[in-house]
Amino acid sequence: MRKVPLIFQGVSEILEGPELGLITLTDKMKERQITIVCDKAMEYQFGLRLNPKNRTDRLLPEVLTTVVKQQGEMRFEVLISDVVDGEYRCLLVNESTFESLPMRASDAILFALISNTPIYIDYNLMMRQSVRYSANANGMAIPINALSDSMLKKSMENAIADENYELASYLRDEINKRKKSEKKNSDDNIDDILNNITGPKDNNAKDRPTDDDDDDDDVFPF
């Protein structure tokens, strides 16, 4: 996998919207950026670490990071590998054993900030999700597939209120696509459960001869 190193740039608050924050990450040249949505509590945690006046060495993330470092040569990296239904998929990878653990993206970035762990993103994902970076920009562009369900709904309501029906239609299509995906996953899970109980369905069963091949085949046997 081709990976792109990312640099943490900061966290900003979403104005005139839900109480959420946006984590900004850029490439090393500060040409492209991706943004990751975090909740208000996580935005506060980042704020604690970004203020040099705050003492955080006794907080749990810092203490656990110190414990890990005391175990010897254990090197990690944070890898952003995919985005699914508004959520970035993130892994904490042990560089020595290549073992990995899934983490919520905002937690992984906070861990990287505390422990000075490198952050990477899959190259193709970076090319697909990133936008041009501007340090002095008043707003911030976020790909629609990186918006949470609640943000999609709120954005659609705002678009309708502003009579921006083209945008509202685009957001509605994304919401419907996610609903279809959720239903398919739910149906697949049900099929897996039933297969484990009864065995897989035999699609050729209808072609086999039966001892009772008459006109009552469609009648349910009580």
Side-chain angles (χ1 to χ4, degrees):
M1 176 190 295
R2 185 179 175 185
K3 300 182 295 186
V4 178
L6 293 176
I7 307 298
F8 173 81
Q9 296 297 336
V11 178
S12 57
E13 183 181 3
I14 296 179
L15 301 177
E16 300 179 0
E19 291 190 347
L20 297 170
L22 292 176
I23 303 169
T24 303
L25 304 167
T26 69
D27 59 4
K28 286 187 174 182
M29 300 300 294
K30 295 185 180 181
E31 295 177 345
R32 309 288 297 179
Q33 73 172 28
I34 67 165
T35 49
I36 296 175
V37 178
C38 67
D39 56 33
K40 193 69 175 178
M42 187 57 66
E43 182 189 352
Y44 173 75
Q45 293 299 321
F46 277 98
L48 283 178
R49 276 81 184 180
L50 295 175
N51 187 342
K53 295 181 180 180
N54 293 329
R55 182 177 178 182
T56 60
D57 58 299
R58 296 184 180 181
L59 298 181
L60 182 60
E62 278 77 3
V63 172
L64 290 179
T65 298
T66 300
V67 170
V68 170
K69 288 181 178 179
Q70 290 174 347
Q71 303 307 306
E73 280 296 320
M74 296 180 66
R75 298 196 308 167
F76 295 91
E77 68 178 40
V78 168
L79 175 62
I80 303 172
S81 59
D82 200 1
V83 58
V84 179
D85 293 343
E87 180 180 350
Y88 278 100
R89 300 298 170 89
C90 206
L91 296 171
L92 181 64
V93 182
N94 186 320
E95 293 183 340
S96 300
T97 65
F98 298 106
E99 295 176 326
S100 62
L101 290 172
M103 289 186 72
R104 189 174 67 160
S106 56
D107 289 300
I109 302 304
L110 181 65
F111 171 78
L113 181 66
I114 293 170
S115 61
N116 199 28
T117 296
I119 307 169
Y120 297 95
I121 186 172
D122 175 74
Y123 173 82
N124 292 327
L125 184 64
M126 181 67 174
M127 295 300 100
R128 188 168 71 244
Q129 296 294 121
S130 64
V131 297
R132 188 174 298 279
Y133 175 67
S134 176
N136 301 317
N138 293 326
M140 194 175 298
I142 309 174
I144 191 172
N145 65 347
L147 294 176
S148 65
D149 291 345
S150 60
M151 290 183 69
L152 274 177
K153 184 177 179 181
K154 180 65 176 178
S155 299
M156 186 178 69
E157 291 172 352
N158 291 340
I160 293 173
D162 294 337
E163 298 184 357
N164 188 344
Y165 299 120
E166 182 178 357
L167 175 59
S169 177
Y170 186 49
L171 294 169
R172 180 205 59 200
D173 290 345
E174 177 67 16
I175 292 172
N176 290 337
K177 184 177 75 172
R178 292 187 187 184
K179 287 181 179 179
K180 289 180 181 178
S181 177
E182 289 174 4
K183 184 179 185 304
K184 181 179 183 304
N185 291 336
S186 176
D187 291 344
D188 288 345
N189 289 337
I190 292 173
D191 288 342
D192 289 341
I193 293 172
L194 292 176
N195 287 337
N196 288 333
I197 296 173
T198 64
K201 182 187 294 185
D202 189 347
N203 293 326
N204 296 321
K206 63 181 180 180
D207 298 327
R208 293 176 181 169
T210 63
D211 294 335
D212 234 357
D213 196 6
D214 53 33
D215 294 336
D216 294 332
D217 289 344
D218 295 331
V219 178
F220 187 83
F222 289 96

